[in-house]
Amino acid sequence: MRRASESGAVDAASEPEGQLNLEVGAHTACMLSSSRAQMWVSDTSPQIEFMIFAVRLRYKYRVYPTPPQQESLTRAFGCARVVFNDGLRLRQETHTAGSRYISDGDLSKQVITQAKKTEERAWLGEVSAVVLQQALADLNVAYRNFFASVSGKRKGRKVAAPRFRSRKDNRQAIRFTANARFKVLDNGRLRLPKIGDVRVAWSRELPAPPSSVTIVRDAAGRFFASFVVDALNEPLPETSSEVGIDLGLTHFAVLSDSTKVTAPQFLRNAARKLRKLQQDLSRKTKGSNRRKKAVAKVARAHAKVTDTRRDWQHKLSTMIIRDNQAVFVEDLCVAGLARTRLAKSVHDAGWAQFTAMLEYKASRHGRTFGRVDRWFPSTRTCSACGQINGKMPLGLRAWTCPCGAVHDRDVNAAINILAAGRAERLNDRGARVRPAAMPAPRGETVIHPGAAQFTRSVEGIPTISSGGERQSQRKVLAATVPATSPTSPMIARCLQSGAVPSHAW
């Protein structure tokens, strides 16, 4: 596949995986297309020099396997699940016995290579070996994430230990990498090892050859093919517009330019149909075929709500990214809000999915995306004078500031989010947005003089990491103060005593 532009072309099909060559006129450069790669082009003259970034994307398509192919896929799902559970069980038994942690290589030998030679697991050879290896790779990643979360290296919510997979899970998936030699044929079908040529509904072309493909079966019984590709970024023409977004429930998004987007409430609109399907399901006998059909109907109804919401959010996020150079949103605690009495409406809104779309689309199209601190009082702050007022009930949609300005609650919050985002973005070199508190004199503190101190480094100013380094830098800075300056003796004394940090001077 070739990607042409005014200045040249990128040829991705003729190069080995993980490496692309860029030709711009008579100049050539190389890009290692990993998860986050960079590619640069430079001329012998310093005038021509720019950078192009690559991003790893996932493209999802609906596939329609034949009944025999569905049986083969179901068999592959089961084999991958058994290998995953065998590996998890073996590691749990090893941990209980107090033995050493089994390495990834030894685990693969025991649950795949040696298991195939036994009579109980001989049927593992009926599926591609790559599928089984990728199932163990998922287990290893799950353990690494768990250990990183326990040790504190992984930020965010705590990650639980891996759990056993079940045949009753709503989502079943297997992954084929380049070693499996899967291939997209000229007739549009997807050739999978030991599965066959599967028909794919191509809604759009792949921007580059895929590095892996995941076959997924959801709760509604639908099959999908998810391709991972390394594609080049597509910067959009620059625009002067910037926007702040206040997310809500009555209005899904309120922009700083007073634009209000009404919340579609897809789940509540489908509640009547879902209630009827759930009532029909409750009347069916457990274990019967009619109950299975009723379960599939409920799953298809929920899938329709999910797909409709995702499609609507994709369109809205694309429009916002296309029309604005910078987008700022509030960093909401969705998990916390989902535990309140508004849980159903919060889940129906899908704020986390929408902000994730904005973030990756802004990164790919050369836009700026920022999150404002969730504790920032965007609603209570007057966008005209900056005064922070008292708490406001949710029913209060408009309020008047003592300065005389009348504000719409959501529009005012969006304007404040835009202002806070601009403040953070314009200080992108690490400088403080707001002035730091004046530290107490060294004699009034209980901090050891040699204790480490975290200080944000700014370009041209080294980070101060220890007490000895701070003492030496203060002496240097005190010596560099001009003697003719009327305030130089005071500054020198403050620097030597530690009352004013050197980076503040």
Side-chain angles (χ1 to χ4, degrees):
M1 301 178 66
R2 295 184 64 87
R3 181 185 179 85
S5 63
E6 296 179 358
S7 58
V10 176
D11 193 344
S14 60
E15 301 300 330
E17 184 183 2
Q19 181 172 339
L20 299 178
N21 280 349
L22 175 68
E23 298 181 0
V24 181
H27 316 290
T28 305
C30 178
M31 175 183 69
L32 298 178
S33 57
S34 60
S35 59
R36 293 189 181 274
Q38 297 181 358
M39 175 168 54
W40 61 92
V41 179
S42 61
D43 190 85
T44 54
S45 59
Q47 286 79 10
I48 304 178
E49 185 172 357
F50 58 92
M51 299 185 67
I52 302 178
F53 296 90
V55 62
R56 178 159 292 178
L57 301 176
R58 184 177 292 275
Y59 287 79
K60 188 177 180 181
Y61 303 88
R62 181 80 179 271
V63 296
Y64 297 91
T66 60
Q69 292 174 349
Q70 291 185 17
E71 295 180 1
S72 300
L73 288 173
T74 304
R75 187 182 304 111
F77 293 146
C79 291
R81 183 177 62 251
V82 168
V83 168
F84 183 93
N85 291 340
D86 288 346
L88 179 58
R89 186 181 301 105
L90 183 59
R91 278 192 167 153
Q92 288 182 348
E93 293 175 354
T94 303
H95 176 71
T96 303
S99 303
R100 186 178 179 181
Y101 182 81
I102 303 178
S103 64
D104 299 348
D106 294 339
L107 186 66
S108 177
K109 290 180 182 179
Q110 296 186 40
V111 301
I112 297 180
T113 306
Q114 298 177 4
K116 287 182 179 180
K117 301 178 182 179
T118 63
E119 185 177 356
E120 297 178 352
R121 295 287 188 266
W123 37 266
L124 291 177
E126 299 178 2
V127 301
S128 174
V130 175
V131 171
L132 308 180
Q133 294 169 359
Q134 292 301 309
L136 279 186
D138 293 339
L139 176 62
N140 298 331
V141 171
Y143 264 109
R144 284 195 291 270
N145 293 338
F146 170 64
F147 293 147
S149 178
V150 172
S151 62
K153 296 180 180 180
R154 182 186 176 96
K155 305 302 180 182
R157 301 178 64 184
K158 294 296 182 181
V159 178
R163 65 169 183 84
F164 290 100
R165 292 180 178 178
S166 172
R167 68 178 65 185
K168 297 181 181 180
D169 291 342
N170 293 331
R171 184 181 183 274
Q172 302 286 342
I174 54 175
R175 184 167 60 253
F176 297 89
T177 60
N179 296 333
R181 300 183 183 276
F182 71 91
K183 185 178 180 181
V184 179
L185 304 179
D186 296 335
N187 58 5
R189 291 181 177 266
L190 175 62
R191 176 165 294 175
L192 300 174
K194 297 189 178 182
I195 301 295
D197 298 344
V198 183
R199 185 169 68 91
V200 183
W202 297 100
S203 56
R204 52 182 171 176
E205 295 183 0
L206 290 173
S211 59
S212 67
V213 59
T214 303
I215 306 300
V216 181
R217 184 182 65 189
D218 63 1
R222 303 176 301 177
F223 290 85
F224 296 91
S226 179
F227 297 91
V228 175
V229 299
D230 292 328
L232 297 177
N233 285 344
E234 298 178 351
L236 293 173
E238 293 189 3
T239 177
S240 59
S241 176
E242 297 183 354
V243 67
I245 304 177
D246 179 64
L247 301 176
L249 297 177
T250 303
H251 294 94
F252 177 79
V254 178
L255 310 186
S256 56
D257 58 359
S258 301
T259 301
K260 294 186 177 182
V261 181
T262 305
Q265 297 181 346
F266 297 105
L267 181 61
R268 292 192 177 276
N269 293 337
R272 183 176 181 180
K273 181 179 179 181
L274 289 171
R275 181 169 58 252
K276 182 178 180 181
L277 292 175
Q278 290 283 4
Q279 290 174 351
D280 294 341
L281 173 62
S282 64
R283 299 188 184 102
K284 301 297 186 293
T285 304
K286 291 185 178 181
S288 63
N289 291 331
R290 290 187 177 182
R291 184 178 179 84
K292 294 180 180 179
K293 294 179 181 179
V295 169
K297 288 183 179 180
V298 174
R300 282 194 294 268
H302 279 285
K304 184 177 180 180
V305 173
T306 303
D307 296 342
T308 307
R309 182 190 299 114
R310 184 187 302 110
D311 178 72
W312 180 81
Q313 291 184 352
H314 267 299
K315 294 177 180 177
L316 178 61
S317 60
T318 300
M319 181 188 66
I320 293 175
I321 294 297
R322 184 183 63 244
D323 297 341
N324 299 276
Q325 184 65 30
V327 179
F328 305 102
V329 299
E330 191 174 7
D331 186 19
L332 297 174
C333 182
V334 180
L337 293 173
R339 292 192 292 266
T340 64
R341 60 184 179 87
L342 302 174
K344 185 174 183 180
S345 299
V346 170
H347 285 300
D348 191 11
W351 293 328
Q353 178 177 258
F354 178 71
T355 53
M357 291 179 182
L358 289 175
E359 186 172 9
Y360 91 81
K361 291 181 181 181
S363 175
R364 191 186 182 199
H365 297 299
R367 302 306 199 203
T368 300
F369 177 82
R371 297 178 186 268
V372 177
D373 185 14
R374 66 183 58 171
W375 305 112
F376 175 67
S378 58
T379 302
R380 299 185 290 116
T381 302
C382 176
S383 58
C385 66
Q387 179 180 347
I388 301 178
N389 296 274
K391 293 185 177 181
M392 302 178 185
L394 290 176
L396 182 62
R397 309 313 302 175
W399 57 281
T400 304
C401 180
C403 68
V406 180
H407 297 293
D408 180 278
R409 178 193 185 102
D410 298 328
V411 175
N412 176 73
I415 295 174
N416 290 328
I417 290 173
L418 174 60
R422 283 175 172 172
E424 294 286 351
R425 180 174 64 88
L426 295 178
N427 290 273
D428 58 351
R429 299 211 171 189
R432 292 181 179 271
V433 177
R434 300 169 185 85
M438 177 66 68
R442 187 57 64 114
E444 299 180 7
T445 61
V446 294
I447 300 177
H448 192 272
Q453 175 182 349
F454 174 79
T455 305
R456 284 178 136 181
S457 60
V458 187
E459 184 176 1
I461 302 177
T463 303
I464 303 173
S465 57
S466 64
E469 295 179 5
R470 291 198 301 271
Q471 298 269 355
S472 60
Q473 290 196 12
R474 290 191 188 106
K475 293 180 180 179
V476 173
L477 288 171
T480 57
V481 176
T484 56
S485 175
T487 58
S488 58
M490 179 185 64
I491 295 177
R493 287 195 301 271
C494 292
L495 290 173
Q496 291 176 358
S497 64
V500 178
S502 58
H503 69 277
W505 178 83

